Amino acid sequence: SLLVVLGIFSWLPPIDGRQQLTELVFFVAILHSTVIYMNFENTENKILNLFLVIVNIISGFCVFYTSKVDGLNPLIQMFVWLIFLLSLPVVIMLSPDLKTRLFAVIFSLEAIYSLLSLSYESLFLFTLSLFIMVWIKDETRSVSVINPEITMSTRSREETSNSDVLSFIRFFFLVFYSFFGTGNIASLNSFDPGSIRCFVAVFNPFLMGGLLLIKVLIPIFVFGVVYAYIVQTNKTKPELVQALLQLFSDFLTLHFFHLVQDSGSWLDIGSSLSHFIIVEGTSLFLALLL
């Protein structure tokens, strides 16, 4: 069912600032907080739970409040920058184990993403996070289902199973879908400063462009962190991951390089070049991340 919901987002109009739904952003922030409370309810680290709940609610409120008033409140701006700069380091320090740290990083990135949201993209990342929780359980459980007699330490020295290759294919597809799922091509080409109105009150093209780039990379970073956890849990060989990444990256690079046009309208030429550059940039980012 989550896959069906995710498929709907690719049919929605691209996010370009002309239609803003900050009420939806605030509502999704409340949903984030509810999921966080349910996920960490039985854990002993209540401070981490409370911190993530408060951070997500404040993020949604800051976006909603800023859209309803003229100008940028200095107190709102201070809270926004504190969440943007300190939420990740704080949750990493407060997380007692690897799995708790993984979910804490995902929820803190959701708060940062909410600060940069204007419309349904916050709901898109929320749906992705729910899918990620199911995906983690499925991928970490598939090893014992395939051959329960093989332990994790033994499996790292055994022949690579098909589940490792399938896991990477799912990851590779989800990374590119997370980029194109909210129409990021249109968002980049028709950049609206409304998405960063909580951060700056004056025009600053370099800061605005950097914040927009971070917004685009957050879903990719989330999947990269999750897949790194799956690789470590399943004891997948790092050489296999790098080889598969190189194989699929080279295939996409050659494919989109063949589609690059040097004739026709400027829109066709620019679109073909953009697709080639995006594939190259995403592949490089994944190589650095993994």
Side-chain angles (χ1 to χ4, degrees):
S1 60
L2 288 174
L3 287 175
V4 175
V5 175
L6 284 174
I8 296 175
F9 287 98
S10 59
W11 294 93
L12 296 177
I15 298 168
D16 54 8
R18 288 176 292 184
Q19 185 178 2
Q20 300 184 13
L21 298 172
T22 54
E23 295 85 359
L24 178 61
V25 176
F26 190 25
F27 176 72
V28 172
I30 297 176
L31 290 180
H32 282 156
S33 302
T34 304
V35 173
I36 292 169
Y37 178 78
M38 295 174 60
N39 193 69
F40 290 102
E41 184 179 6
N42 298 324
T43 60
E44 299 179 356
N45 201 334
K46 302 298 182 182
I47 298 177
L48 177 62
N49 187 4
L50 182 62
F51 175 79
L52 289 171
V53 169
I54 293 175
V55 162
N56 276 273
I57 292 179
I58 292 177
S59 298
F61 175 77
C62 289
V63 174
F64 174 74
Y65 177 82
T66 307
S67 66
K68 301 302 179 182
V69 299
D70 295 329
L72 179 60
N73 189 303
L75 184 62
I76 295 293
Q77 187 179 22
M78 181 187 71
F79 278 120
V80 166
W81 279 106
L82 285 176
I83 293 173
F84 182 78
L85 296 175
L86 299 180
S87 59
L88 269 179
V90 169
V91 299
I92 291 175
M93 290 187 297
L94 293 177
S95 304
D97 56 82
L98 182 60
K99 189 172 184 178
T100 303
R101 186 179 300 120
L102 171 67
F103 287 112
V105 167
I106 294 174
F107 292 136
S108 63
L109 288 173
E110 288 177 351
I112 296 174
Y113 195 80
S114 296
L115 294 173
L116 296 165
S117 298
L118 286 174
S119 183
Y120 66 84
E121 70 266 42
S122 59
L123 183 61
F124 176 73
L125 189 63
F126 174 72
T127 310
L128 277 180
S129 65
L130 295 180
F131 176 78
I132 284 172
M133 294 179 187
V134 179
W135 185 44
I136 291 174
K137 292 181 181 179
D138 181 66
E139 291 292 346
T140 53
R141 186 177 53 195
S142 61
V143 178
S144 58
V145 172
I146 292 173
N147 194 345
E149 298 180 356
I150 299 179
T151 62
M152 289 295 182
S153 58
T154 305
R155 183 180 181 275
S156 61
R157 298 186 295 270
E158 293 288 335
E159 184 177 334
T160 302
S161 64
N162 293 331
S163 62
D164 294 328
V165 179
L166 292 175
S167 176
F168 180 84
I169 293 175
R170 296 189 191 103
F171 160 71
F172 202 73
F173 169 78
L174 290 170
V175 163
F176 281 95
Y177 181 78
S178 68
F179 182 87
F180 292 103
T182 55
N184 277 313
I185 291 293
S187 301
L188 290 169
N189 291 337
S190 56
F191 171 56
D192 185 85
S195 60
I196 46 86
R197 64 162 58 131
C198 295
F199 290 87
V200 291
V202 295
F203 183 74
N204 189 334
F206 294 103
L207 179 60
M208 291 177 174
L211 291 172
L212 177 64
L213 181 62
I214 291 174
K215 177 184 177 181
V216 171
L217 293 178
I218 282 178
I220 301 176
F221 182 76
V222 168
F223 275 111
V225 172
V226 171
Y227 185 68
Y229 170 79
I230 293 174
V231 167
Q232 183 173 354
T233 303
N234 292 349
K235 302 297 181 181
T236 306
K237 296 179 181 179
E239 298 83 2
L240 171 67
V241 177
Q242 293 296 330
L244 289 173
L245 178 61
Q246 187 68 37
L247 174 65
F248 282 88
S249 299
D250 289 346
F251 173 77
L252 288 179
T253 299
L254 291 173
H255 175 70
F256 283 100
F257 182 75
H258 178 71
L259 296 178
V260 171
Q261 300 180 12
D262 57 357
S263 61
S265 65
W266 286 107
L267 178 61
D268 295 337
I269 296 174
S271 298
S272 63
L273 287 174
S274 297
H275 291 163
F276 174 72
I277 294 172
I278 287 170
V279 169
E280 282 286 278
T282 305
S283 301
L284 178 61
F285 182 73
L286 290 177
L288 295 175
L289 189 61
L290 298 178

